[in-house]
Amino acid sequence: MALTDEVARHSFRRSLPEKIIGIAREEHDLDRVSTAKQKGFGEDISLFLLSFLAFFTAFYMFIV
């Protein structure tokens, strides 16, 4: 739910109490946080793969 200027000027939105508008803003902020967490999950996977490959390479070098 994006709170753009165009939506904010809508007559129904202007008739809502400030408390309801605040709840909508909080939900919008939570959506942004969950998107950031998903990005962090990708970083965790890439760090795991990098660590796994570094360990595999070091282990292979000790064997040879």
Side-chain angles (χ1 to χ4, degrees):
M1 168 194 280
L3 300 174
T4 61
D5 290 334
E6 183 179 331
V7 175
R9 287 182 271 165
H10 193 273
S11 61
F12 175 73
R13 182 159 173 78
R14 284 186 298 200
S15 69
L16 292 174
E18 186 62 35
K19 181 178 179 181
I20 301 298
I21 294 172
I23 292 172
R25 285 187 186 128
E26 288 174 8
E27 288 178 2
H28 180 67
D29 291 341
L30 289 176
D31 289 342
R32 221 182 300 152
V33 169
S34 65
T35 303
K37 285 183 180 179
Q38 289 174 352
K39 289 180 184 176
F41 182 69
E43 291 175 7
D44 289 343
I45 291 173
S46 64
L47 182 61
F48 170 77
L49 290 175
L50 179 65
S51 301
F52 179 80
L53 290 174
F55 174 77
F56 180 77
T57 304
F59 187 73
Y60 181 75
M61 291 301 214
F62 283 122
I63 291 176
V64 173

